[in-house]
Amino acid sequence: MTGNSILGQISECVVKAESEELVRELTQKAVTEGYAAKDIIDQGLLAGLDTIGGMWTRGDAFIPEVLLSAKIMSAGMEVIRELIVKSGVKPVGKVVIGTVRGDVHDIGKSLVAMLLGSAGFEVTDLGVDVAPERFVQVIKAEKPDLLGMSALLTTTMPGIADTIKAIQKEGLEVVTIIGGAPVTQEYADRIGANGYAPDAVSAVAKAKELLKIKR
Ligand code: B12
């Protein structure tokens, strides 16, 4: 991919954390030029975050810079989210999603939430650092078909298992799907989650498979 393409410019804007205004403008331009939401996300917004994430891992960037890039990326995501909402599709199922207790990583979870939304699910996003009791409370109130849980740290992964235990203890019926960088199918099997997906695109396919949704 060339750095001059619109997607390259979006990526660069995220890496340099230039401005929310610029990322919105560029994202809007990419949409107008006919790029698919998925490509704008993968090759523009996320590509930029990947680059800064790599720089951080190598010691070439610091946490405040990563945070600023994440904020710029979210502004671009918002443009895409608005487009999806406007398309007004009838919900195929209800999903509650959140990042588990002690964990503030929200980019991957928000991406999953957004793609589920674009696939026609009605999504309630509880945000980050969600305690098992809060998940239980919302499941009781909203009676979703599916509960999605995200964890990005090995130290917060047990929050997924704790939430599943709390749900079972309350006798609540909800299909669970889990994900996040350290999460695996093996872990899902071990803690009794119904499904796992490694990325946002396969999360949508998995959600449909688990809920037996054809379209
Ligand atoms: C951005 C980032 C941050 C930002 C988060 C900003 C934000 N608003 O989210 C900030 C700077 C705050 C941060 C903080 C920390 N971070 Co951090 N962070 C990252 C980084 C660079 C990128 C994560 C990310 O957003 N990736 C992009 C998204 C799209 O990918 P994803 O999250 O994996 O999501 C995809 C899949 O996993 C899946 N998925 C995700 N959720 C779900 C849910 C469901 C239901 C399904 C089906 C699928 C699914 O689909 C997603 C989309 O395709 C990673 C490194 C990396 N490359 O992963 C480290 C990383 C996750 N962080 C790490 C660490 C150690 C920390 C800190 C402890 C650092 C510190 N010393 O303070 C803190 C912890 C804060 C806390 N309590 O949570 C480590 C974790 C190590 C580990 N295995 O435990 C990593 C791996 C970096 C590293 N190499 O050391 N971090």
Side-chain angles (χ1 to χ4, degrees):
M1 188 178 46
T2 72
N4 288 334
S5 72
I6 183 79
L7 302 185
Q9 286 174 43
I10 293 174
S11 165
E12 205 179 309
C13 180
V14 171
V15 176
K16 292 187 181 160
E18 281 175 280
S19 78
E20 293 191 11
E21 206 181 339
L22 180 64
V23 81
R24 273 194 214 105
E25 207 175 283
L26 291 170
T27 306
Q28 189 59 59
K29 189 165 171 233
V31 171
T32 314
E33 285 183 12
Y35 285 96
K38 186 185 168 296
D39 293 338
I40 302 174
I41 294 171
D42 279 354
Q43 295 167 40
L45 296 164
L46 263 191
L49 192 78
D50 260 1
T51 305
I52 190 88
M55 286 163 69
W56 176 36
T57 311
R58 291 193 303 275
D60 295 334
F62 299 97
I63 287 188
E65 292 167 289
V66 178
L67 268 181
L68 208 56
S69 286
K71 194 160 167 263
I72 298 292
M73 179 196 162
S74 303
M77 287 287 204
E78 198 48 48
V79 173
I80 296 182
R81 201 192 322 264
E82 279 161 18
L83 287 173
I84 290 165
V85 171
K86 264 192 216 147
S87 66
V89 211
K90 193 170 170 282
V92 293
K94 214 169 170 181
V95 185
V96 166
I97 193 166
T99 301
V100 297
R101 182 170 53 200
D103 198 322
V104 303
H105 293 87
D106 76 343
I107 297 161
K109 179 266 306 159
S110 300
L111 201 58
V112 172
M114 193 189 312
L115 289 201
L116 284 171
S118 71
F121 287 89
E122 183 187 332
V123 183
T124 302
D125 187 343
L126 301 181
V128 297
D129 191 14
V130 183
E133 308 79 63
R134 170 95 178 112
F135 277 119
V136 164
Q137 187 189 31
V138 177
I139 292 164
K140 281 182 182 166
E142 300 213 359
K143 302 186 175 49
D145 306 293
L146 188 70
L147 171 67
M149 283 176 280
S150 178
L152 262 284
L153 300 169
T154 40
T155 49
T156 55
M157 262 167 66
I160 301 179
D162 291 345
T163 305
I164 290 179
K165 274 189 219 137
I167 291 167
Q168 287 166 347
K169 194 165 157 240
E170 295 280 338
L172 298 171
E173 298 243 339
V174 65
V175 175
T176 51
I177 183 169
I178 67 173
V183 178
T184 59
Q185 181 64 56
E186 192 268 322
Y187 183 70
D189 293 341
R190 183 145 47 90
I191 64 168
N194 300 109
Y196 155 80
D199 57 60
V201 173
S202 47
V204 172
K206 193 69 187 182
K208 287 182 171 174
E209 179 196 318
L210 290 170
L211 299 178
K212 302 186 174 59
I213 294 164
K214 298 263 163 11
R215 61 192 162 103

